mmCIF file of all heavy atoms in Angstrom:
data_model
loop_
_atom_site.group_PDB
_atom_site.id
_atom_site.type_symbol
_atom_site.label_atom_id
_atom_site.label_comp_id
_atom_site.label_asym_id
_atom_site.label_seq_id
_atom_site.Cartn_x
_atom_site.Cartn_y
_atom_site.Cartn_z
ATOM 1 N N LEU A 29 -8.913 11.389 -2.846
ATOM 2 C CA LEU A 29 -10.038 11.871 -2.045
ATOM 3 C C LEU A 29 -11.375 11.527 -2.693
ATOM 4 O O LEU A 29 -12.308 11.102 -2.028
ATOM 5 C CB LEU A 29 -9.918 13.380 -1.833
ATOM 6 C CG LEU A 29 -11.034 14.039 -1.036
ATOM 7 C CD1 LEU A 29 -11.102 13.429 0.364
ATOM 8 C CD2 LEU A 29 -10.817 15.526 -0.956
ATOM 9 N N ARG A 30 -11.468 11.680 -4.014
ATOM 10 C CA ARG A 30 -12.719 11.390 -4.714
ATOM 11 C C ARG A 30 -13.117 9.923 -4.512
ATOM 12 O O ARG A 30 -14.279 9.608 -4.256
ATOM 13 C CB ARG A 30 -12.584 11.706 -6.201
ATOM 14 C CG ARG A 30 -13.874 11.526 -6.956
ATOM 15 C CD ARG A 30 -13.755 11.957 -8.409
ATOM 16 N NE ARG A 30 -13.720 13.410 -8.484
ATOM 17 C CZ ARG A 30 -12.675 14.122 -8.900
ATOM 18 N NH1 ARG A 30 -11.587 13.536 -9.295
ATOM 19 N NH2 ARG A 30 -12.725 15.436 -8.930
ATOM 20 N N SER A 31 -12.162 8.997 -4.618
ATOM 21 C CA SER A 31 -12.455 7.576 -4.422
ATOM 22 C C SER A 31 -12.886 7.294 -2.992
ATOM 23 O O SER A 31 -13.783 6.489 -2.743
ATOM 24 C CB SER A 31 -11.226 6.731 -4.758
ATOM 25 O OG SER A 31 -10.900 6.871 -6.106
ATOM 26 N N ARG A 32 -12.259 7.952 -2.055
ATOM 27 C CA ARG A 32 -12.624 7.753 -0.648
ATOM 28 C C ARG A 32 -14.028 8.257 -0.365
ATOM 29 O O ARG A 32 -14.795 7.617 0.344
ATOM 30 C CB ARG A 32 -11.613 8.445 0.262
ATOM 31 C CG ARG A 32 -10.264 7.787 0.237
ATOM 32 C CD ARG A 32 -9.280 8.539 1.085
ATOM 33 N NE ARG A 32 -7.954 7.989 0.910
ATOM 34 C CZ ARG A 32 -6.862 8.596 1.267
ATOM 35 N NH1 ARG A 32 -6.917 9.783 1.843
ATOM 36 N NH2 ARG A 32 -5.690 8.041 1.075
ATOM 37 N N LEU A 33 -14.365 9.410 -0.904
ATOM 38 C CA LEU A 33 -15.708 9.952 -0.715
ATOM 39 C C LEU A 33 -16.757 9.072 -1.384
ATOM 40 O O LEU A 33 -17.831 8.849 -0.845
ATOM 41 C CB LEU A 33 -15.795 11.379 -1.261
ATOM 42 C CG LEU A 33 -15.040 12.440 -0.471
ATOM 43 C CD1 LEU A 33 -15.074 13.767 -1.216
ATOM 44 C CD2 LEU A 33 -15.599 12.583 0.921
ATOM 45 N N ARG A 34 -16.439 8.564 -2.571
ATOM 46 C CA ARG A 34 -17.371 7.703 -3.271
ATOM 47 C C ARG A 34 -17.625 6.422 -2.487
ATOM 48 O O ARG A 34 -18.721 5.887 -2.482
ATOM 49 C CB ARG A 34 -16.856 7.359 -4.660
ATOM 50 C CG ARG A 34 -17.921 6.685 -5.495
ATOM 51 C CD ARG A 34 -17.513 6.356 -6.910
ATOM 52 N NE ARG A 34 -16.688 7.337 -7.552
ATOM 53 C CZ ARG A 34 -15.411 7.121 -7.877
ATOM 54 N NH1 ARG A 34 -14.839 5.996 -7.619
ATOM 55 N NH2 ARG A 34 -14.721 8.057 -8.477
ATOM 56 N N ALA A 35 -16.609 5.922 -1.810
ATOM 57 C CA ALA A 35 -16.768 4.710 -1.010
ATOM 58 C C ALA A 35 -17.723 4.954 0.158
ATOM 59 O O ALA A 35 -18.436 4.050 0.590
ATOM 60 C CB ALA A 35 -15.414 4.245 -0.481
ATOM 61 N N LEU A 36 -17.746 6.194 0.659
ATOM 62 C CA LEU A 36 -18.652 6.522 1.755
ATOM 63 C C LEU A 36 -20.098 6.628 1.291
ATOM 64 O O LEU A 36 -21.018 6.328 2.028
ATOM 65 C CB LEU A 36 -18.242 7.858 2.404
ATOM 66 C CG LEU A 36 -16.904 7.858 3.125
ATOM 67 C CD1 LEU A 36 -16.568 9.273 3.584
ATOM 68 C CD2 LEU A 36 -16.937 6.899 4.291
ATOM 69 N N ARG A 37 -20.267 7.054 0.064
ATOM 70 C CA ARG A 37 -21.613 7.263 -0.459
ATOM 71 C C ARG A 37 -21.685 6.719 -1.885
ATOM 72 O O ARG A 37 -21.108 7.270 -2.804
ATOM 73 C CB ARG A 37 -21.907 8.757 -0.463
ATOM 74 C CG ARG A 37 -23.366 9.060 -0.400
ATOM 75 C CD ARG A 37 -23.573 10.506 -0.127
ATOM 76 N NE ARG A 37 -24.133 11.087 -1.349
ATOM 77 C CZ ARG A 37 -24.229 12.364 -1.558
ATOM 78 N NH1 ARG A 37 -23.767 13.215 -0.675
ATOM 79 N NH2 ARG A 37 -24.762 12.818 -2.646
ATOM 80 N N ALA A 38 -22.397 5.632 -2.071
ATOM 81 C CA ALA A 38 -22.400 4.907 -3.342
ATOM 82 C C ALA A 38 -22.840 5.763 -4.525
ATOM 83 O O ALA A 38 -22.369 5.582 -5.633
ATOM 84 C CB ALA A 38 -23.288 3.681 -3.236
ATOM 85 N N THR A 39 -23.730 6.697 -4.318
ATOM 86 C CA THR A 39 -24.221 7.530 -5.421
ATOM 87 C C THR A 39 -23.654 8.934 -5.325
ATOM 88 O O THR A 39 -24.369 9.919 -5.438
ATOM 89 C CB THR A 39 -25.754 7.580 -5.416
ATOM 90 O OG1 THR A 39 -26.174 8.101 -4.145
ATOM 91 C CG2 THR A 39 -26.365 6.212 -5.649
ATOM 92 N N SER A 40 -22.364 9.016 -5.148
ATOM 93 C CA SER A 40 -21.715 10.305 -4.979
ATOM 94 C C SER A 40 -21.824 11.175 -6.228
ATOM 95 O O SER A 40 -21.587 10.715 -7.339
ATOM 96 C CB SER A 40 -20.236 10.096 -4.656
ATOM 97 O OG SER A 40 -19.555 11.318 -4.670
#
Side-chain angles (χ1 to χ4, degrees):
L29 179 60
R30 184 175 286 115
S31 297
R32 291 177 187 164
L33 290 173
R34 191 178 322 112
L36 294 174
R37 205 168 111 192
T39 58
S40 172

